[in-house]
Amino acid sequence: MNSTLIALAEPKRLQIVELLRDGPLSVGEIAEKLDLKQPQVSKHLRVLSEAGLVEVQPIANRRIYKLRPQPLKEMDSWIETFRHVWEEKLDRLDEYLKKLQGK
């Protein structure tokens, strides 16, 4: 999961993942949507691929990228372990606000 977090820490790579959330795209389509040069996008996609976040399907002379769900599921499971901490804090805040309203 460390490689997933490192890959997503770069804003452009995170934007690429967000674009791919809606479906597969070619390198050219990603470059156009993010207003980047194709070599820049290819470098970002290589990092995302090495982290296991995307997979490529060559079709003729195009490369179509799509998300791989497994690394994101692993990250979601890890984040879930922290959810109870936030829920406890929000419950305490809710109790405090109710107490203030009662005064």
Side-chain angles (χ1 to χ4, degrees), residues 13-24:
R13 288 195 289 265
L14 183 58
Q15 286 180 313
I16 290 170
V17 168
E18 289 172 341
L19 284 175
L20 293 175
R21 172 181 49 204
D22 296 330

Side-chain angles (χ1 to χ4, degrees), residues 3 7 43-54:
S3 62
K43 287 180 183 180
H44 288 306
L45 286 166
R46 187 177 318 114
V47 173
L48 292 170
S49 180
E50 289 170 359
L53 285 160
V54 298

Side-chain angles (χ1 to χ4, degrees), residues 20 23-27 30 45 54-56 63-67:
L20 293 175
L25 294 170
S26 70
V27 176
I30 295 168
L45 286 166
V54 298
E55 61 185 44
V56 62
R63 302 252 183 272
I64 307 298
Y65 284 84
K66 67 178 186 174
L67 285 179

Side-chain angles (χ1 to χ4, degrees), residues 2 16 20 26-27 30 35-36 38-40 47 50 55 59 66 74 76 91 96-98 103:
N2 196 33
I16 290 170
L20 293 175
S26 70
V27 176
I30 295 168
D35 196 28
L36 294 172
Q38 195 165 344
Q40 292 172 296
V47 173
E50 289 170 359
E55 61 185 44
I59 299 177
K66 67 178 186 174
E74 290 170 5
D76 183 56
D91 287 345
Y96 176 72
L97 293 173
K98 286 178 181 177
K103 288 186 175 182

